[in-house]
Amino acid sequence: PDGFVPRKSDLQNCTKDVMDLNERQRMFPRCWGIGTNEPVSEMGATLVHVPVFMSEDALKTTVNFHVWCFGSDLCSNDRCVMPANSEGTAVPLTGGLASQAAAWTATVSTPFSLRVRLASDFEIGQEWPRVKIIDEDSACDMSRLNNQVTGIGCVDSGVGKCEPAPHKTLGSASWGAGRELVWQNIEVGRSGKYGVCYCDRHYDSTCVAWQHIGKITVQG
């Protein structure tokens, strides 16, 4: 509501059922997501990734998220939410990847480029995205990089970060205003079908959410 300045308890309870809240907390809208990070910086910026869960209808109609935050270790009372206003910080909702069911082909032990198309409104820095290639039909967040793959290296864990970042980000006239991320000089040493996973949210060497974006067929 206009003039309503959220408090820490409003944010902490914003995903709960309204029947479990007090009268004041019911005035604050239900949240699409809430996130935290440890340790919290004493000074300066702190990176926080917020998982968002929205219905298809909400995705079609939402233009901006309105975001508030507080320092959980630095807040001695309930009145420490920033920004201290009813609007929050507006963060635009963009399209992300162009597809999560892409298909690629390659030849055994032959270098190729893996190209990942982006939605036209998805402006992401080149330093964030990562990919990995795993066994077909395996879960991205539980599977390590397939041992036949070279040109990509990952922390030895299902949620480990992979390197390198994309070699370049290209605009493509054939996709209109679209763009694509390009990983070069990848090789797979055995024929078959493999899953391709993508992540652009990390805490140090850990991916917050690996997601399946397609399959690659290796021939030879």
Side-chain angles (χ1 to χ4, degrees), residues 4-206:
F4 182 92
V5 178
R7 297 177 183 174
K8 179 175 75 170
S9 57
D10 297 323
L11 272 62
Q12 290 175 319
N13 293 291
C14 69
T15 58
K16 294 182 178 180
D17 189 285
V18 293
M19 300 306 296
D20 296 329
L21 306 179
N22 62 37
E23 183 176 351
R24 175 195 161 78
Q25 292 166 354
R26 292 177 185 177
M27 297 175 64
F28 190 70
R30 300 301 84 206
C31 296
W32 293 123
I34 188 168
T36 186
N37 183 26
E38 300 292 344
V40 175
S41 301
E42 292 186 6
M43 295 183 63
T46 296
L47 177 66
V48 180
H49 298 301
V50 182
V52 175
F53 303 95
M54 302 177 69
S55 67
E56 289 295 328
D57 289 341
L59 283 170
K60 293 176 182 177
T61 58
T62 301
V63 176
N64 291 309
F65 293 122
H66 296 269
V67 181
W68 293 265
C69 66
F70 63 89
S72 56
D73 293 341
L74 306 175
C75 182
S76 59
N77 59 50
D78 208 27
R79 301 173 184 267
C80 54
V81 171
M82 297 295 294
N85 59 44
S86 61
E87 296 296 323
T89 298
V91 177
L93 176 62
T94 62
L97 302 185
S99 172
Q100 294 188 341
W104 297 269
T105 59
T107 302
V108 169
S109 300
T110 302
F112 67 96
S113 293
L114 183 68
R115 297 172 178 269
V116 177
R117 290 176 55 195
L118 306 179
S120 60
D121 62 351
F122 189 36
E123 295 291 337
I124 186 166
Q126 187 174 335
E127 69 276 12
W128 290 97
R130 298 293 190 274
V131 293
K132 67 177 175 180
I133 299 173
I134 63 172
D135 295 344
E136 184 183 18
D137 297 327
S138 295
C140 284
D141 61 351
M142 299 179 64
S143 301
R144 291 171 169 80
L145 179 74
N146 185 279
N147 61 15
Q148 294 295 314
V149 177
T150 57
I152 300 174
C154 303
V155 173
D156 191 22
S157 164
V159 296
K161 186 178 182 179
C162 298
E163 299 293 350
H167 290 83
K168 51 187 172 181
T169 306
L170 296 177
S172 176
S174 61
W175 309 127
R179 296 165 59 241
E180 56 184 6
L181 305 170
V182 183
W183 282 264
Q184 298 174 325
N185 297 319
I186 299 173
E187 295 184 34
V188 182
R190 181 179 298 167
S191 62
K193 293 185 177 181
Y194 300 83
V196 179
C197 306
Y198 171 89
C199 181
D200 58 21
R201 298 290 184 269
H202 299 89
Y203 287 128
D204 296 324
S205 60
T206 300

